């Protein structure tokens, strides 16, 4: 990428992070371009659609979640490791208003740019889930797809009630009681 194109790309990502934090995942792309000091055409040359921009913005958080799953993969308590990781996923999905909904939609559309976030998360979570199931702590009929949908639904519910800072953790705890063996 040329130096000027790289600068525009980086400015667009920085502006998108701010806009998504302030207005959620549905923030105006025109606003993102304006904040970055470029035209909307430049935004679309770098990111052909909203999911592509969301995917690029969330790569840092995705990398952190993947690192965390790797750290937890050999934990002495596989069920605790799975729970800790799912809490991190809920926190990630709750970072930006609308992200949980977008991730839920992407999980059913492998052609979506956001599926590039969803698929590695499923793989990382699957490894933790299998260890927890093999330890006898989690029922065998629980799938990572179901757990990911539940975590996104919990983040979505918490987004609807921002005044209750403990809601996501309570809902996750309640949900996880149902998956124990």
């Amino acid at each position: 990428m040329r130096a000027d194109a790289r600068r525009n790309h980086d400015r667009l990502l920085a502006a998108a992070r701010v806009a998504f934090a302030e207005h959620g995942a549905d923030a105006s792309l025109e606003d993102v371009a304006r904040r970055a000091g470029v035209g909307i055409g430049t935004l679309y040359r770098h990111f052909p659609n909203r999911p592509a921009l969301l995917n690029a913005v969330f790569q840092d958080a995705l990398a952190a979640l993947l690192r965390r799953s790797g750290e937890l993969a050999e934990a002495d308590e596989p069920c605790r490791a799975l729970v800790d990781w799912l809490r991190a996923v809920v926190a990630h999905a709750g970072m930006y208003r609308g992200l949980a909904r977008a991730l839920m939609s992407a999980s059913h559309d492998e052609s979506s740019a956001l599926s590039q976030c969803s698929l590695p998360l499923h793989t990382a979570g699957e490894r933790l889930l299998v260890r927890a199931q093999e330890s006898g702590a989690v029922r065998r009929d629980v799938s990572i797809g179901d757990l990911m949908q539940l975590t996104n639904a919990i983040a979505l519910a918490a987004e609807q009630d921002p005044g209750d800072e403990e809601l996501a953790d309570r809902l996750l705890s309640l949900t996880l009681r149902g998956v124990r063996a």
Side-chain angles (χ1 to χ4, degrees):
M1 195 180 289
R2 292 184 340 249
D4 61 331
R6 170 53 62 195
R7 279 191 303 275
N8 286 341
H9 184 270
D10 293 346
R11 288 196 327 244
L12 283 163
L13 283 176
R17 283 186 188 99
V18 172
F20 292 156
E22 289 177 2
H23 304 290
D26 292 329
S28 161
L29 296 184
E30 289 82 7
D31 181 48
V32 171
R34 184 184 49 72
R35 288 172 187 247
V38 300
I40 192 69
T42 299
L43 183 144
Y44 282 116
R45 274 193 298 282
H46 287 276
F47 307 101
N49 53 42
R50 180 180 303 276
L53 180 57
L54 286 168
N55 177 49
V57 165
F58 303 131
Q59 285 305 305
D60 290 339
L62 173 63
L65 286 171
L66 296 178
R67 275 192 308 277
R68 185 69 178 135
S69 74
E71 293 165 1
L72 293 168
E74 300 302 320
D76 292 335
E77 296 180 46
C79 187
R80 176 88 257 145
L82 176 64
V83 170
D84 288 350
W85 188 75
L86 290 172
R87 279 197 169 93
V89 170
V90 168
H92 163 67
M95 284 173 54
Y96 300 98
R97 218 168 357 106
L99 176 59
R101 183 175 33 84
L103 288 172
M104 288 175 86
S105 296
S107 70
H108 298 294
D109 180 7
E110 290 183 17
S111 67
S112 164
L114 270 178
S115 71
Q116 294 174 14
C117 287
S118 185
L119 295 175
L121 286 176
H122 275 75
T123 301
E126 180 77 25
R127 184 172 55 172
L128 296 171
L129 174 60
V130 167
R131 282 195 71 234
Q133 289 170 324
E134 288 173 349
S135 76
V138 174
R139 297 180 358 209
R140 293 273 180 191
D141 63 338
V142 174
S143 75
I144 193 60
D146 290 344
L147 287 179
M148 296 303 291
Q149 286 291 73
L150 285 169
T151 58
N152 286 321
I154 289 167
L156 185 58
E159 175 184 304
Q160 300 304 309
D161 191 1
D164 186 350
E165 295 178 10
E166 303 299 318
L167 180 61
D169 197 53
R170 283 196 321 273
L171 290 175
L172 183 62
S173 295
L174 179 64
T175 300
L176 293 177
R177 285 188 206 114
V179 302
R180 293 190 187 264

